[in-house]
Amino acid sequence: MRNATILVVRLTGTATEAIKNMVLAGIGRLVIVDGEAVAEEDLGAGFLFRDEDVGKKRLEAAKLRIESLNPLVTVETITDASVLKGEHFEQLVRGVDLVCVTDWDRDGLIRMNEVCRNNGKPFYAGGTYGLLGYIFCDLLSHDYIAPDRSAPKEAPKNVKKTAEYPPLTVALRHRWTGLTKRQTKEVNPAVVFSLLAIWQYQSLHAGDLPNDLSAATELQSIANSLITEADVNKQVLTEAPETLLQAISTTAIHEFSPVCAIVGGMLAQDILKALAAREPPIANFFIFDGNTGAGTVTRLAMP
């Protein structure tokens, strides 16, 4: 972990929290790509920006503050977002140990995940939509050490395990057929499919997020179609809750600092866990519901 190089794409509220925790933990090198300028909306989502930073490049405003968290960590910033395309991104990925993309649209995540997979690099994605947040990871074939709770006292306490992770494009085709009513309830499918509906909405609207109540009907139609296609247990969920989709339609475009803090903190924790290979990481889709303050993990297309 001390020698690891991590690439973070986009400096959002979620990324701010994740970067803080990774830098304080003492990774070797951090590379951040973001070509956007600080907007007034950024001021409430994280601690890296000040009023006087509005209009400046995010990375120009934040670099020194990130470095001050831990001078032993090398921080490299790239403000030219064109490096995220084609061969430029391939080269960037080859030079790091792990890639983390925050608050990006689904189609872009699939593309970047594929590049990481082709180059044998672990991939994390995380972000928030109002009161909802998520983390997805594709760790390829991941070896880790886990406690062996079944072993007798005199036997070794730990055992090496391997988890096989699918890419995002495969995970999204996961069918819920084999889950019991109880198992389905435990993973909060209404929130899972509401978030997946946001991704599909973005794909249909050139990357734009819903931004007023008029989008609720389309979001619900998308979510209901996804629920049917995934064959979710009908005793638990046949359609997405209308009130939830209405709330999402007006809040998804906003970042709320407490949600960013929770999701970003968990994102950093899991990245560090994956690098250390000492405990099982998320497998493989974490959802946080700020309405209830609860998070759940769903295994999408994992054995």
Side-chain angles (χ1 to χ4, degrees):
M1 184 185 79
R2 301 292 179 186
N3 298 317
T5 296
I6 298 176
L7 169 63
V8 174
V9 176
R10 202 154 184 251
L11 189 58
T12 61
T14 301
T16 295
E17 291 293 334
I19 285 170
K20 176 193 71 176
N21 290 349
M22 291 188 292
V23 169
L24 290 175
I27 60 172
R29 177 168 161 256
L30 177 68
V31 181
I32 315 170
V33 179
D34 189 304
E36 297 179 53
V38 178
E40 289 186 6
E41 293 78 9
D42 294 321
L43 302 179
F47 59 88
L48 290 176
F49 306 123
R50 309 289 185 268
D51 289 345
E52 60 269 21
D53 295 327
V54 174
K56 297 179 184 176
K57 290 285 189 179
R58 284 176 177 168
L59 290 178
E60 292 173 359
K63 186 174 188 290
L64 289 177
R65 291 171 189 141
I66 295 171
E67 290 175 329
S68 69
L69 294 171
N70 188 343
L72 299 179
V73 176
T74 301
V75 179
E76 178 183 338
T77 58
I78 302 173
T79 57
D80 182 2
S82 68
V83 300
L84 300 176
K85 299 177 181 179
E87 181 59 28
H88 295 296
F89 187 57
E90 293 265 2
Q91 292 177 359
L92 194 59
V93 167
R94 292 188 197 114
V96 303
D97 298 300
L98 184 147
V99 175
C100 173
V101 183
T102 64
D103 293 284
W104 209 271
D105 65 277
R106 181 198 65 189
D107 299 341
L109 292 177
I110 289 173
R111 177 183 62 82
M112 287 189 269
N113 183 192
E114 191 64 29
V115 172
C116 291
R117 185 162 264 267
N118 290 341
N119 288 279
K121 305 295 183 180
F123 173 84
Y124 274 85
T128 64
Y129 301 104
L131 292 175
L132 303 186
Y134 76 92
I135 298 169
F136 169 81
C137 60
D138 173 11
L139 304 182
L140 311 166
S141 181
H142 181 69
D143 296 327
Y144 63 94
I145 303 298
D148 186 2
R149 305 190 190 284
S150 64
K153 289 184 179 180
E154 63 274 9
K157 301 292 184 183
N158 296 319
V159 60
K160 182 179 179 181
K161 293 189 175 184
T162 301
E164 301 293 338
Y165 284 76
L168 181 57
T169 185
V170 173
L172 291 173
R173 297 197 297 268
H174 174 71
R175 291 178 64 81
W176 295 48
T177 311
L179 294 184
T180 65
K181 179 179 177 181
R182 178 180 178 182
Q183 289 171 328
T184 304
K185 276 186 174 181
E186 287 175 347
V187 295
N188 199 358
V191 174
V192 173
F193 284 96
S194 295
L195 192 141
L196 296 181
I198 295 173
W199 279 358
Q200 179 66 8
Y201 181 97
Q202 281 187 288
S203 183
L204 295 171
H205 293 269
D208 292 337
L209 286 167
N211 193 23
D212 60 62
L213 199 56
S214 63
T217 301
E218 184 179 358
L219 279 171
Q220 183 155 33
S221 176
I222 293 170
N224 292 346
S225 295
L226 293 172
I227 290 166
T228 301
E229 290 170 13
D231 196 20
V232 177
N233 191 312
K234 291 180 174 58
Q235 292 181 294
V236 179
L237 186 70
T238 57
E239 60 180 29
E242 182 179 0
T243 53
L244 177 58
L245 274 304
Q246 288 176 342
I248 289 172
S249 68
T250 57
T251 60
I253 200 168
H254 301 292
E255 289 184 296
F256 296 134
S257 182
V259 180
C260 293
I262 292 168
V263 175
M266 289 201 64
L267 179 58
Q269 175 183 285
D270 211 68
I271 287 172
L272 296 172
K273 194 185 296 183
L275 290 172
R278 296 294 301 175
E279 298 175 73
I282 288 171
N284 53 343
F285 196 54
F286 167 81
I287 291 286
F288 176 74
D289 181 3
N291 297 290
T292 62
T296 54
V297 176
T298 305
R299 298 175 70 90
L300 297 182
M302 286 193 71

